Amino acid sequence: MSDSVVSDSSQTSGRDRWQQRYEAAVAKGAVRDADFTTLSGMEVEPVYGPTAEAEAADERMERIGWPGEFPFTRGLYPTGYRGRTWTIRQFAGFGNAQQTNERYKMILARGGGGLSVAFDMPTLMGRDSDEALSVGEVGHCGVAIDSAADMDILFSDITLSDVTTSMTISGPAVPVFCMYLVAAERQGVDITKLNGTLQTDIFKEYIAQKEWLFPPEPHLRLIGDLMEYTNATIPAYKPLSVSGYHIREAGSTAAQELAFTLADGFGYVELGQSRGMDVNKFAPGLSFFFDSHLDFFEEIAKFRAGRRIWARWMRDVYGATDEKAQWLRFHTQTAGVSLTAQQPLNNVVRTAVEALAGVLGGTNSLHTNALDETLALPSEQSAEVALRTQQVLMEETGIVNVADPLGGSWYVEALTDKIEAEAEKIFENIRQMGERDRTPNDDGSFDHPIGPMTSGILRGIEEGWFQSEIAEAAFQYQIALEKGDKKIVGVNVHTESVSHELEILRVSHEVEVDQVSLLSSRREGRDLAKVQGALETMMATSRTGDNMIPSMLEAVRAEATLGEICNALRDEWGVYREPARF
């Protein structure tokens, strides 16, 4: 067991075990030197829970536990946020790399703790800015990145070894990751010291967001190569952020979001194990990304249930014995779908409530949406308000003083149990889909190319099961809105207002014109023979069982563009087209 105090649980109470862990953290200097009192000056304890006698009599405690111990319902660390507060990681990207670089510097200068890159649609689809399919989209929903040269500008004067960087991209995640590594090399940074997260999660693209490039199998091959490469080369880097956010934004329920996301995570665990990787080594590199919606207690229960489910499955199903391999680390973003164009100032309140739920649920990092994001990309002022929302929660409310302050609440614990039970039913459905039409072994087990959960996910994608489940949930919610059973202030209730239209950020068409011109000049200035040779080597590697990351890095170093790399792979692997369903 790593970074923990080992004790005989049969001889000590949970409170005693927690106390040992907390005191060990204090001794290591892992508790912040801060004022842990209420606004009125009252001292508060680092955690609250039952006495040893009450704990022994409460059957719930095996499921609830204490902060920093299995099943981690109450958090990963005995110190809670007294040890380290969540990372303020504001998602940003628009226009060209220079414009986004300036926004990053603003975020960091005003207290942001990490960067989170939003890419434009052509980049998300593995297209260059000058392709016909990119017309009208360059720089509009994120930053345009065509080659490593753009990545150099994006992180200009931001030392990549000094800041954790998250990149929200899945289909072309691996070549974009290679551009990030090359940008770090050009800064003179030791890439083995990099720390950050790449989304990479292709399952959720087929399930919800629809930004894929290839059929599932080639994507999984690239993901497996990435997992192997980072595990061996960049130990702190997290190659997979398994995303439930987009599933929830597509209309799922909280339980569906949690279950579909964790099932995807189990699929990636199976992928790693199918490559012969040690689960205790690679599983700590998996992280998660969840939505925080407006039903305050449901969201808190969802996060707590997620930690418990993941820990149990990692230990009991996948054999993880190291604590860190059982940890569910997750980033949270407030619910974009909850924002309204009507009375947009109300969105500040919505975002604050959602952020508070994320924090009380124990999130490791957090993005707060800006009030104008339902209308356009955030203005500088609205981005600052979103950032300050987190800082007010962190600095003024006292919520960082106590680990899992809602732990033991009858409502929260019952809701946590209920969401967990619903998720387990969904897992069973997915596993059954993976076993359908397969011939069982003599012992009743089934053989799967990667693993049972992966087989079920692929079958569910193929048959449209995930999409139909989400569509039904979204339909039921829409009916409730139209009947007035569910209410949205400013939309179907309290619609009168004195507010005026907002000044919004508009991305000029000149961004696309300039980006296309810049890309053309870069193409003219590079060694074309070197680019073509590197691409040919990469494609030759794709036809073998060798890891593709080194050859892709060489193509990126030669300034091969994102579109050139992805189009070469499309020619080899084909493109995925979702079957029509009615």
Side-chain angles (χ1 to χ4, degrees):
M1 193 174 288
S2 62
D3 296 329
S4 63
V5 176
V6 179
S7 60
D8 183 354
S9 60
S10 65
Q11 300 298 317
T12 57
S13 69
R15 177 179 287 278
D16 290 337
R17 294 193 302 274
W18 170 83
Q19 190 70 46
Q20 292 174 23
R21 290 171 182 257
Y22 186 82
E23 289 173 357
V26 171
K28 290 194 302 184
V31 174
R32 293 179 295 116
D33 182 14
D35 174 19
F36 298 122
T37 65
T38 69
L39 193 64
S40 304
M42 291 188 293
E43 294 283 344
V44 293
E45 297 296 326
V47 74
Y48 289 84
T51 64
E53 294 76 13
E55 180 182 352
D58 190 340
E59 59 88 24
R60 303 179 306 161
M61 287 305 295
E62 184 178 357
R63 302 190 304 277
I64 298 172
W66 292 79
E69 73 171 12
F70 187 91
F72 307 107
T73 309
R74 302 197 66 187
L76 303 180
Y77 309 103
T79 55
Y81 292 129
R82 284 196 180 197
R84 179 181 176 182
T85 54
W86 68 91
T87 299
I88 297 176
R89 190 183 300 283
Q90 289 300 101
F91 187 48
F94 67 96
N96 59 35
Q98 182 60 50
Q99 291 171 307
T100 301
N101 173 261
E102 291 168 4
R103 177 64 62 87
Y104 289 164
K105 289 174 181 174
M106 181 273 283
I107 290 171
L108 293 172
R110 298 182 190 178
L115 299 177
S116 183
V117 184
F119 297 95
D120 71 357
M121 186 56 69
T123 306
L124 291 170
M125 299 305 296
R127 302 287 179 183
D128 287 335
S129 295
D130 59 358
E131 293 188 41
L133 290 171
S134 302
V135 173
E137 295 291 343
V138 176
H140 280 274
C141 69
V143 62
I145 298 294
D146 289 308
S147 74
D150 284 317
M151 203 69 85
D152 294 339
I153 297 169
L154 185 68
F155 296 114
S156 176
D157 301 319
I158 300 171
T159 304
L160 286 172
S161 57
D162 295 342
V163 62
T164 61
T165 303
S166 170
M167 294 188 286
T168 301
I169 191 165
S170 295
V174 176
V176 167
F177 167 77
C178 290
M179 292 176 186
Y180 164 77
L181 291 192
V182 170
E185 290 174 351
R186 292 172 178 175
Q187 288 185 354
V189 167
D190 178 358
I191 67 166
T192 66
K193 306 299 182 186
L194 292 174
N195 194 348
T197 304
L198 189 66
Q199 190 164 100
T200 322
D201 175 13
I202 204 62
F203 284 142
K204 62 90 175 167
E205 298 296 343
Y206 300 109
I207 291 172
Q209 198 174 22
K210 316 300 184 183
E211 292 168 1
W212 56 70
L213 276 63
F214 322 115
E217 289 76 10
H219 273 299
L220 290 176
R221 185 260 173 90
L222 282 175
I223 293 170
D225 286 353
L226 178 67
M227 291 170 68
E228 288 182 343
Y229 183 86
T230 55
N231 188 57
T233 309
I234 316 174
Y237 194 84
K238 298 166 186 63
L240 263 165
S241 173
V242 189
S243 177
Y245 184 84
H246 307 90
I247 293 170
R248 189 67 177 281
E249 293 286 291
S252 77
T253 66
Q256 287 172 334
E257 175 199 359
L258 183 64
F260 293 174
T261 307
L262 294 186
D264 290 350
F266 298 145
Y268 296 124
V269 171
E270 292 173 353
L271 177 63
Q273 290 185 319
S274 75
R275 292 286 190 108
M277 299 171 66
D278 180 353
V279 68
N280 288 312
K281 297 288 182 61
F282 76 79
L286 302 177
S287 66
F288 290 80
F289 173 24
F290 290 112
D291 196 297
S292 187
H293 219 297
L294 270 168
D295 192 312
F296 185 69
F297 292 105
E298 182 175 57
E299 295 305 295
I300 294 167
K302 178 187 74 180
F303 298 132
R304 299 172 84 253
R307 269 194 302 271
R308 186 159 76 205
I309 293 168
W310 184 256
R312 187 178 65 253
W313 275 67
M314 290 303 293
R315 185 190 69 178
D316 298 345
V317 178
Y318 297 112
T321 55
D322 188 274
E323 270 192 355
K324 289 184 178 179
Q326 301 168 359
W327 284 359
L328 182 82
R329 296 180 180 88
F330 66 93
H331 170 73
T332 303
Q333 181 172 339
T334 56
V337 75
S338 73
L339 305 181
T340 65
Q342 302 93 325
Q343 301 179 23
L345 293 177
N346 297 344
N347 294 333
V348 177
V349 180
R350 294 185 177 102
T351 295
V353 170
E354 293 162 354
L356 181 58
V359 172
L360 291 175
T363 191
N364 302 103
S365 63
L366 179 63
H367 165 89
T368 34
N369 289 327
L371 66 98
D372 52 0
E373 285 191 58
T374 190
L375 301 168
L377 292 167
S379 67
E380 187 169 3
Q381 182 180 39
S382 67
E384 181 178 270
V385 171
L387 174 65
R388 295 291 187 244
T389 299
Q390 293 204 47
Q391 291 167 331
V392 168
L393 291 177
M394 186 180 291
E395 306 293 350
E396 299 184 30
T397 63
I399 57 176
V400 297
N401 292 348
V402 178
D404 190 35
L406 295 182
S409 155
W410 294 110
Y411 179 41
V412 170
E413 298 300 351
L415 203 50
T416 301
D417 290 347
K418 185 174 180 61
I419 290 176
E420 179 181 21
E422 288 190 28
E424 289 290 347
K425 290 178 183 177
I426 293 172
F427 298 149
E428 183 58 29
N429 286 339
I430 295 171
R431 287 179 67 105
Q432 288 178 0
M433 282 192 290
E435 293 172 356
R436 196 172 68 241
D437 303 328
R438 292 181 182 271
T439 303
N441 299 317
D442 292 340
D443 63 358
S445 64
F446 292 84
D447 293 324
H448 301 274
I450 295 177
M453 193 63 75
T454 307
S455 293
I457 293 166
L458 293 174
R459 178 63 66 87
I461 291 168
E462 177 186 338
E463 296 183 353
W465 180 80
F466 292 102
Q467 297 93 317
S468 65
E469 291 290 296
I470 294 170
E472 178 63 22
F475 179 63
Q476 293 301 325
Y477 178 66
Q478 186 62 34
I479 290 174
L481 281 179
E482 293 179 6
K483 290 171 61 179
D485 295 337
K486 300 292 184 185
K487 295 178 172 58
I488 300 177
V489 172
V491 177
N492 65 351
V493 66
H494 308 303
T495 55
E496 67 286 348
S497 177
V498 297
S499 61
H500 304 287
E501 288 189 7
L502 296 174
E503 289 289 331
I504 61 174
L505 176 67
R506 300 184 188 277
V507 177
S508 168
H509 176 63
E510 292 303 312
V511 167
E512 182 169 327
V513 173
D514 292 345
Q515 184 70 17
V516 169
S517 175
L518 181 61
L519 179 56
S520 177
S521 66
R522 286 175 181 162
R523 282 202 176 102
E524 292 174 359
R526 65 188 182 170
D527 184 335
L528 183 58
K530 188 175 181 181
V531 173
Q532 291 175 336
L535 288 172
E536 289 170 3
T537 300
M538 182 188 75
M539 295 316 301
T541 305
S542 76
R543 301 179 190 109
T544 72
D546 294 341
N547 193 297
M548 288 187 64
I549 306 299
S551 62
M552 194 175 289
L553 277 168
E554 287 304 313
V556 168
R557 291 184 183 112
E559 283 297 315
T561 67
L562 180 64
E564 288 168 341
I565 292 170
C566 294
N567 286 334
L569 294 172
R570 286 185 181 98
D571 289 342
E572 182 72 19
W573 291 334
V575 296
Y576 178 77
R577 301 193 187 283
E578 188 174 33
R581 296 182 180 90
F582 301 95

